[in-house]
Amino acid sequence: MSDTDDGGGQELGITESKAHKPGEWYAEVVQKAELADYAPMGGFIVTRPRGYAIWERIKDHLDGWFKSSGVQNSYFPMFIPESYLEREKDIVEGFDPEVAWVSEAGHEELEERLAVRPTSESIITPFIARWVRSHRDLPMRLNQWCSVVRWEATDTKPFFRTKEFLWQEGHTAHADEDGAWTETMARLGQYERLYEEVMAIPGLTGRKPEHDKFPGAHTTTTIEALMPDGKSVQAGTSHYLGTSFAEAFDITYADVDEAERTAHTTSWGLSWRAMGALIMTHSDDQGLVLPPALAPEQVVIVPIWQEDTEDEVLEYSADLAADLDDEFRVHLDDRDERNPGFKYNEWELKGVPLRIEIGPNEVADGEVTMVHRPDGESEVADRDAAVDAVGEALDTVYAKLYAAAEATLEENIREAHGRDEILGTLGQHGGYVRTGWCGDEGCETEIKDQIAAEIVMLPLDRDEAPVHDTCGVCGEPAADTAYFAKNY
Ligand SMILES: [Zn+2]
């Protein structure tokens, strides 16, 4: 049996190459690392325990930050009456092609069709309107962790493209524009923090062009992450909704001077697409690579023994595992039906950030040998200092992942001006192309039709001078700097 044979003759390791077949490689990593499987209905996936454990950690980080900044969790029905959905016309138009409807239940036709929520503004905002009476009730900040359904006819790609996906959606109401804007930016900042500090992925923050805003929003802000295949992922969005939803659903409040005023609202969401970005960014031809903060097991200890050294090696390993267990998520792989090489491959495939090898030499010298998942670098530490050494090694693993992703991002932001140069640069390198933009959607369409790249963002600061005086496509005066990229 080879080191990568699972015993049943099926190849355990990844067979496709990330560089040459990123789509097939991604699907293989997701399945073989046991993150997800395909459901019987096209467009749906089953999230397996190892995948769900990663989502739970993403959720725990964000949820903690939300709660410590004034957000309360709540839960609203997954069905929205058609008449509610119709009250904000942009939402209806924006989501209409993707809404799944329930029109019949228990053999009866329903009096009113129910939409399976594609997003929940239309069911949450009317309740905020009911609960807000005076300025003392503001700001009101609600969040829910749930799934939504958008019936898109595209190929299934686990965590990137599925008809049902897990996410959180936050919905807030504020007395004025300032309060709502501060909220919008605070949530975008938390998404950025999640990507950078937890997921080891640097993001670019910006706003969407007018024609690509969330339906009904005044401004949609976004965090974009660059994938190794040169495409951008919209990694989280935070919307300042102005008063459009408050007007449609009547969120008014009595101000300090007793005057009745209309609230300003926001909504913001981050989905399990973050997991897709995570898998895609760091993983390699050996399988999944995870940053320590999200790994179900942070450390795996692999004892290496012969018959005559078994007892001492296993005892030393078990003692080490017990020591590390207080601070880290540790797994001791003492299966005796598997050889060490097989175990190395399996834990590499599953993305454990740090492997500790313990053989007779380590026992004799009072040492531990640690191997970093991302690059295979190994280091030796004293057994007595193992807890600190493991902590430092995990920090180093995080730093390596972040540095690699940051280098990729920096190398892949290029400037171009003129239709041919923009198309040539995107075609050759992918990544982001910065250029001046007049603000006309037609100039985006011209690029999109040629190369399927679009304007993924504009700078957050509306007053920032454009990178060029003229539009990179039509040559008219530029109003903004556009970031063109192919995207997911
Ligand atoms: Zn133009």
Side-chain angles (χ1 to χ4, degrees):
M1 195 192 311
S2 80
D3 283 352
T4 56
D5 191 315
D6 71 353
Q10 198 193 347
E11 197 70 13
L12 180 76
I14 304 298
T15 57
E16 298 288 0
S17 138
K18 183 178 188 180
H20 298 113
K21 290 195 167 175
E24 287 87 342
W25 164 86
Y26 177 84
E28 208 182 351
V29 170
V30 165
Q31 284 205 290
K32 291 194 168 169
E34 299 175 359
L35 304 178
D37 225 324
Y38 296 90
M41 315 82 75
F44 292 81
I45 60 166
V46 174
T47 310
R48 299 184 65 178
R50 299 193 67 82
Y52 201 78
I54 298 171
W55 176 242
E56 278 182 315
R57 291 209 154 77
I58 289 175
K59 181 177 167 179
D60 288 348
H61 279 92
L62 271 185
D63 203 58
W65 299 336
F66 291 162
K67 285 174 180 160
S68 65
S69 49
V71 179
Q72 293 177 301
N73 282 335
S74 50
Y75 188 77
F76 289 77
M78 70 185 298
F79 300 117
I80 304 178
E82 186 166 17
S83 56
Y84 274 60
L85 204 62
E86 279 174 348
R87 280 168 72 177
E88 211 296 322
K89 64 170 175 35
D90 292 325
I91 278 274
V92 187
E93 283 170 20
F95 286 100
D96 185 56
E98 300 173 3
V99 175
W101 294 98
V102 177
S103 52
E104 192 186 315
H107 308 297
E108 303 270 327
E109 195 148 310
L110 302 182
E111 273 177 37
E112 180 177 10
R113 290 200 301 171
L114 301 175
V116 182
R117 63 183 166 218
T119 178
S120 300
E121 280 76 6
S122 306
I123 186 84
I124 294 181
T125 320
F127 285 89
I128 293 180
R130 185 185 297 193
W131 299 330
V132 167
R133 285 282 165 262
S134 91
H135 63 93
R136 282 180 294 273
D137 301 321
L138 295 171
M140 182 172 285
R141 299 182 174 98
L142 302 178
N143 177 62
Q144 70 176 354
W145 291 94
C146 62
S147 73
V148 289
V149 170
R150 296 179 187 172
W151 213 271
E152 294 175 273
T154 48
D155 294 338
T156 313
K157 194 178 180 79
F159 308 117
F160 275 112
R161 273 194 311 270
T162 50
K163 291 189 171 84
E164 179 188 22
F165 57 87
L166 293 178
W167 77 344
Q168 60 70 217
E169 47 178 321
H171 300 267
T172 69
H174 306 262
D176 54 27
E177 181 173 350
D178 266 3
W181 256 114
T182 304
E183 182 77 18
T184 305
M185 296 312 295
R187 301 308 160 194
L188 186 69
Q190 288 175 333
Y191 294 156
E192 191 175 17
R193 181 179 171 195
L194 177 81
Y195 271 84
E196 297 195 347
E197 292 179 15
V198 179
M199 295 170 53
I201 300 176
L204 290 178
T205 54
R207 68 192 150 88
K208 290 288 176 189
E210 287 297 307
H211 61 266
D212 197 24
K213 292 187 308 191
F214 178 78
H218 173 282
T219 302
T220 286
T221 68
T222 179
I223 171 163
E224 299 284 324
L226 180 67
M227 297 297 100
D229 60 1
K231 291 188 191 171
S232 183
V233 169
Q234 181 180 299
T237 49
S238 182
H239 318 287
Y240 167 53
L241 301 174
T243 54
S244 62
F245 284 85
E247 278 161 14
F249 293 98
D250 228 2
I251 312 183
T252 56
Y253 67 95
D255 210 344
V256 189
D257 59 8
E258 295 298 325
E260 188 174 276
R261 299 210 155 78
T262 301
H264 292 246
T265 65
T266 79
S267 67
W268 24 279
L270 181 133
S271 78
W272 71 12
R273 177 176 272 207
M275 278 177 64
L278 181 81
I279 299 160
M280 187 81 86
T281 299
H282 301 306
S283 303
D284 59 22
D285 290 351
Q286 277 67 54
L288 189 63
V289 176
L290 292 172
L294 297 176
E297 302 92 355
Q298 296 172 305
V299 181
V300 62
I301 301 173
V302 179
I304 307 152
W305 72 83
Q306 303 295 330
E307 225 177 300
D308 58 332
T309 54
E310 179 171 356
D311 289 348
E312 60 181 83
V313 166
L314 285 181
E315 192 188 323
Y316 188 90
S317 300
D319 186 60
L320 175 65
D323 245 20
L324 296 176
D325 193 54
D326 283 345
E327 289 199 34
F328 311 103
R329 297 185 288 278
V330 185
H331 177 71
L332 170 62
D333 188 355
D334 56 4
R335 291 176 292 176
D336 64 4
E337 76 277 16
R338 294 296 188 199
N339 64 40
F342 179 93
K343 294 177 183 179
Y344 294 175
N345 287 326
E346 181 174 342
W347 295 113
E348 280 178 7
L349 171 65
K350 289 182 173 168
V352 178
L354 192 69
R355 176 173 82 231
I356 300 183
E357 301 171 0
I358 302 293
N361 291 338
E362 279 79 9
V363 176
D365 299 341
E367 291 174 341
V368 298
T369 297
M370 304 183 291
V371 182
H372 301 183
R373 170 64 181 89
D375 58 0
E377 185 188 334
S378 78
E379 50 173 328
V380 174
D382 283 342
R383 167 65 184 86
D384 294 340
V387 174
D388 288 343
V390 165
E392 282 165 25
L394 291 173
D395 288 347
T396 305
V397 166
Y398 163 84
K400 282 178 180 175
L401 296 179
Y402 189 86
E406 191 179 36
T408 305
L409 176 60
E410 282 171 3
E411 285 162 16
N412 284 289
I413 303 175
R414 300 179 178 84
E415 272 176 39
H417 198 265
R419 201 171 160 279
D420 292 345
E421 200 183 328
I422 295 169
L423 290 171
T425 308
L426 283 167
Q428 195 184 344
H429 305 287
Y432 299 102
V433 165
R434 277 155 43 97
T435 192
W437 181 47
C438 62
D440 182 356
E441 188 180 353
C443 288
E444 181 195 56
T445 311
E446 228 177 279
I447 300 297
K448 209 174 183 173
D449 287 349
Q450 293 296 315
I451 203 166
E454 57 185 69
I455 299 173
V456 295
M457 61 169 232
L458 311 169
L460 279 174
D461 180 0
R462 288 172 194 269
D463 298 329
E464 191 180 303
V467 64
H468 305 119
D469 293 337
T470 55
C471 175
V473 184
C474 70
E476 293 294 311
D480 255 315
T481 302
Y483 287 71
F484 276 92
K486 295 182 188 179
N487 59 357
Y488 275 92

